[in-house]
Structures are given as C-alpha cells and as structure tokens.
Amino acid sequence: LNISSSASSSLGSVAACAAREGPEAGTTVFHVTGAGCLADGQLWYPPSPQWPSWSKVTTASPRAVPTVAILPTPQPLRVCNPTCEGLANHSQRHFLSVQDLNAAANGSPRSVHPANQMSLGERPRLQRRHHSSRAPKAKNPCKWTNCPEREAHAANLLALPNGDLLCSWFTGHEGTGAVAIAVSKLVAGGVRWSASQIVSEDMQRSAQNPVMYFSPATNMVSLIHTSQEADAGQGTSVVYIVTSDDLGDTWGHPRQINAQGFTPGIFLRNQVVQVSPSYWLLPVYFTPGNAETHFSEMRLSDDQGASWQGGGKEWGRMSDPHEGLVQPTVVVKSSQDGHPEKTELISHFRQRKYPHIYTSNSSDGGRTWGTAKRTRLPNNNSGIQTIRLISGALVLVFNNIGTRAREPLSVALSEDNGVTWPWLRDLEPGGETDPAFRHVAMMGYCYPTVVQALDETIHIAYTFNREAIKHVSLKESWIRAVVAENG
C-alpha cells in the first residue's frame, strides 16, 4: 500500500489519532500497536528516517487495493503486559505506548528512542522469527508484538445471504490461557465494521482458528474453533461450537463437539464446502506431536453442519503423517445433480516440510484422495486459502515466498482449475520499503481468508503484523490487471 505523509505536524497527527471517539460517547478508545496507532479504521505509522511525520495507510497508489479497513480491537481493550510494551531487551526498534499517545494528545513532547536517531543504513536487518508448529511458550510472550494480550490472528470471513459480512479471529497470545474468539460485522452497504465482541473464551485454554458457516435450513450461523489447554501444545486441541440465530449479532454459549472423528489433536483452518444441501464437507488436520505426525482428513455432514462424521483411512484421509500436508483448502471441480458422492474436488495444502504448495484431487466426494503433487506456487509453512469465483475461476491467496518470511501476501487467479496461475498481484508487497519494517516485532501478512459476495466483490481478510486483522475488497478485474511473469 502507498503510504502518504500526513499534512499536519507529528504532534497534531498523534493527537488526532489518540483523540478519536470510541464506541462510548466522550471516551477515547484506540488500539496501540507496535506499528503505530490504530483508530477509526486508519493505521498511523510513527515517524522514521523515511517518513519524518506521522503517516497513514491510504489507497493513492495505482497498485493499491481498492478498499482497505482495519477491524476494531475487542472492547474493552486488554491491558498490555508491561514487560513487552517497551521491549527494551527485544530489539532496538521503538514501540509506542499508551503513555506516548496520551502525552502527545496533551501537548507534551514524546521522547525519541535512540534507534529513531540512526540513519537507515545504520540499522541492522531484522531477523525473521518462524512460527513453529508447536504452540509458543508463555515464557516468551513478547515474541511477536509489544502487546501479546491483543494479538490478532487466523481470520475467517463469512458472506451472509442478506449481504452482511462476518469476520472472526482469535485474540491473545497463541497457545496460552485466555486466548479468545472475536467477531465483527460489516452490514451490507456499510463502510465501518462493528465493534468486535468476544464470543468464546476460557481462561485456562487457547481458542484458535475459527471457521464459520451458515445453515439455510435453520437460518443459523455456526462458528467452530479449536481449543487447546494453555501451554500444553496442539496435541490437546479439541473443537468447540457457538451459534447465532440472528446472523451474528448475538451468540450463545460455546460447547465442545464430542463426536466421532473429533479426537484430541484436531485442528481447523479453512472453509466448509457445501456440495449440496445434504452434503457438506469440513477439511481438518491433526497435530498430535511434531510436524512429522501431522496429517489431514475430511469430515462429512448430512444435516448442514449440525453433526459431522467420517475420519480415519476408511473415509476422508487426505494425507499421511510423514507428508507434512496440513490445512487443506478445498473447492469443487465438478458435480453431478443428485449424486454428491461423485463430486470431483481439488485441495491445496500448506506444506510443513517443503517450500511449495501441494495439491491433490478426489473423484468420490472426498471419501478418498489421490497422491498430493507439488505445484509451482511457493509456500512458507503458512496458511493459504482458495475459492471458486462466480465466473468459474479459482482465486488463491498465499505468501508468494518459499522462505520463512510471511510477506509478501499475494492473490493469484487460475482459469484451468489450478494448473496455471497467469494472474498475480500483491496485497502486501512487504520488504524493507514497508513502513512497518522498522516498527514491528515480526512483520508479517498472513493466514488469509477469502469469500465472494453476491455482487461479485471479493473480500479478503488477513493477519496484519499479528496486531490487527486487515480487510480488503476488490473485483476480479483488479487481479486480472497484472499478468504473472511465470504463472
């Protein structure tokens, strides 16, 4: 995205950002992140040698995504861990604090961190930190951000039949206690996401990876998510479900799914595939131990997600433990009316071991799957997601890099069911020219979720430097405007 400097002074910009009114009249509610100040849907970056004054994300560049929004932090704001807020021992980069912004709003000068006085060439290249397949330990809560209590990750979008859009994600330090599921809504025709609400939280567990689906038979929205014991690893994960009967405005109480095939170690990530009203598929994967033990399977529902069945090598095994294939994202290739069990499916996988996306096919409705093959698309052991557009083309959102970095984040389009991807555009180019490069603990744009609305608008949400969920909307024509060099 193009970053343009604010016309006002640094102090004025900070004050304007900090003084935004929150959901409650007369209050100041804003999100302080390692990248700057988040308020009213705008992300402001602090001054740096490249940008002498405060600057905000805009869409002035021809290559910029048409519509951008930052989803609001759950209210009330969680209190940051004071150990992480300064990160004095974490790096030389400067992190803003609530005190910084309040002082600026009151007209007091803000102290300049020594790192901000260095020239660009004097600063060392940041070392990238890889997201391990194991849950991060509580002893290192400052791994990603200066406020681990407010980390945001693993978004999931759901387009509702009335045109509204729901987004869910988990907030908190992954793998530790009190990590919660948050939900926000963008009403049809609206321009501002609602204040997010916590719909599932357990002080002794880590809730992660929400997946939402809508049942036309009951007019109910279901949100399922994983939940693992705090600091005990992903092998303790089970699945919880929480439902809404008013299209996501209010939610019931979460409960664990105790069903065949939902044994400990199960994980979710990608969307439900609705082949027919009585044939829904849910891709899952298991993480009982280290990466060598991970594998993927499919679950089947004949009652629109009210219950699920399948599992094991007898029904729905998609990959074996030694293959490193997880987080399958599945689309329909072809189907026969009245015979969903004969549906042809395509799956793309995140790869734990090798730097490429893998793909496999099923010709019997997900019961059995062929041997996965490597694609030309790179993979950095991070999340991906694929959907089929109304036009029939496939769209895949992924990190277009085979190393451990989680940028750039790109969107690709295919007209031949994923054999080739001739069109490719960056949502987040990343790199050293990114304003966040000098300001965040681990720059990363990852774990995308993508849906298409009935008006053919493509909506994408993703993790923005672990500190917020970013939403962009665009048309298919925007992707087709740039042809990939070697698609």
Side-chain angles (χ1 to χ4, degrees):
L1 292 174
N2 182 55
I3 305 298
S4 63
S5 296
S6 169
S8 57
S9 66
S10 300
L11 185 61
S13 296
V14 180
C17 189
R20 303 274 182 163
E21 290 189 354
E24 298 179 10
T27 65
T28 300
V29 180
F30 53 89
H31 182 138
V32 180
T33 75
C37 170
L38 171 63
D40 201 24
Q42 292 289 340
L43 180 64
W44 295 80
Y45 288 111
S48 72
Q50 295 167 294
W51 292 274
S53 62
W54 279 74
S55 53
K56 65 179 179 178
V57 175
T58 70
T59 56
S61 169
R63 74 174 183 177
V65 178
T67 306
V68 179
I70 304 291
L71 273 66
T73 302
Q75 306 295 339
L77 292 179
R78 297 168 181 268
V79 177
C80 291
N81 185 331
T83 303
C84 300
E85 187 131 16
L87 288 181
N89 299 320
H90 188 54
S91 72
Q92 294 184 343
R93 286 159 287 163
H94 177 60
F95 288 81
L96 298 174
S97 67
V98 175
Q99 290 75 22
D100 287 332
L101 288 172
N102 285 340
N106 294 327
S108 303
R110 179 173 64 86
S111 60
V112 178
H113 191 277
N116 281 343
Q117 298 176 337
M118 302 169 66
S119 68
L120 185 62
E122 292 176 323
R123 297 197 198 179
R125 170 69 172 163
L126 303 185
Q127 292 185 350
R128 307 236 180 242
R129 293 174 178 79
H130 178 49
H131 178 155
S132 169
S133 60
R134 293 178 180 268
K137 299 301 183 182
K139 64 181 181 181
N140 184 21
C142 311
K143 180 176 182 179
W144 284 303
T145 74
N146 65 322
C147 188
E149 291 76 16
R150 287 193 224 139
E151 287 178 18
H153 192 43
N156 179 257
L157 287 171
L158 177 65
L160 296 173
N162 66 349
D164 292 352
L165 193 65
L166 291 178
C167 186
S168 59
W169 66 95
F170 73 78
T171 175
H173 188 55
E174 180 178 348
T176 63
V179 178
I181 302 298
V183 175
S184 180
K185 175 185 280 192
L186 181 66
V187 299
V191 296
R192 188 186 305 278
W193 286 86
S194 69
S196 52
Q197 58 177 311
I198 299 296
V199 301
S200 182
E201 182 176 29
D202 185 328
M203 301 303 291
Q204 305 302 319
R205 304 188 68 87
S206 178
Q208 297 167 203
N209 294 19
V211 172
M212 296 180 292
Y213 52 88
F214 173 76
S215 170
T218 61
N219 203 44
M220 181 177 293
V221 176
S222 295
L223 185 156
I224 53 178
H225 68 85
T226 60
S227 176
Q228 66 190 61
E229 297 175 14
D231 303 311
Q234 295 182 349
T236 64
S237 175
V238 294
V239 175
Y240 278 68
I241 183 171
V242 57
T243 60
S244 170
D245 57 10
D246 55 11
L247 299 183
D249 290 332
T250 61
W251 296 82
H253 297 286
R255 59 179 175 82
Q256 183 179 342
I257 296 179
N258 294 301
Q260 180 182 359
F262 283 75
T263 53
I266 188 171
F267 251 80
L268 312 172
R269 172 57 195 142
N270 288 311
Q271 69 274 26
V272 170
V273 183
Q274 300 181 12
V275 177
S276 74
S278 60
Y279 201 95
W280 288 15
L281 297 171
L282 172 66
V284 303
Y285 65 107
F286 284 81
T287 60
N290 60 31
E292 290 294 326
T293 68
H294 296 188
F295 60 94
S296 297
E297 293 187 347
M298 188 66 77
R299 296 292 178 266
L300 171 67
S301 175
D302 58 8
D303 53 13
Q304 299 194 2
S307 64
W308 298 92
Q309 55 189 293
K313 294 185 177 181
E314 296 75 19
W315 206 103
R317 177 61 64 90
M318 302 180 73
S319 70
D320 290 324
H322 66 279
E323 296 179 282
L325 302 174
V326 296
Q327 296 186 353
T329 173
V330 179
V331 296
V332 173
K333 182 178 181 180
S334 66
S335 60
Q336 298 183 28
D337 290 342
H339 295 281
E341 74 283 357
K342 296 182 180 180
T343 300
E344 293 187 82
L345 302 161
I346 303 169
S347 178
H348 290 91
F349 296 88
R350 170 182 178 174
Q351 173 58 262
R352 294 287 197 201
K353 301 169 63 176
Y354 305 112
H356 288 88
I357 293 172
Y358 276 61
T359 184
S360 67
N361 295 269
S362 172
S363 58
D364 55 8
R367 176 183 293 273
T368 61
W369 291 82
T371 301
K373 299 179 180 179
R374 192 187 77 177
T375 72
R376 296 179 62 186
L377 300 174
N379 183 239
N380 57 343
N381 189 21
S382 187
I384 62 175
Q385 195 165 105
T386 310
I387 63 167
R388 187 174 296 280
L389 300 180
I390 295 172
S391 68
L394 293 186
V395 157
L396 171 65
V397 190
F398 68 112
N399 289 117
N400 188 20
I401 191 168
T403 66
R404 292 179 175 181
R406 289 194 167 183
E407 32 86 18
L409 183 68
S410 308
V411 55
L413 187 142
S414 172
E415 289 184 326
D416 54 13
N417 287 313
V419 177
T420 61
W421 300 88
W423 296 275
L424 176 71
R425 296 200 72 173
D426 286 340
L427 297 171
E428 298 281 357
E432 294 189 26
T433 59
D434 190 315
F437 181 77
R438 304 293 170 183
H439 296 290
V440 300
M442 187 185 83
M443 188 169 71
Y445 312 108
C446 58
Y447 265 62
T449 174
V450 54
V451 297
Q452 187 177 33
L454 293 178
D455 66 358
E456 300 191 8
T457 299
I458 299 169
H459 296 274
I460 302 171
Y462 51 92
T463 299
F464 189 82
N465 293 325
R466 275 279 177 165
E467 295 168 324
I469 299 300
K470 189 170 182 177
H471 163 241
V472 302
S473 58
L474 49 91
K475 294 292 186 180
E476 182 178 340
S477 58
W478 184 85
I479 306 173
R480 291 181 179 272
V482 177
V483 178
E485 294 180 0
N486 58 351

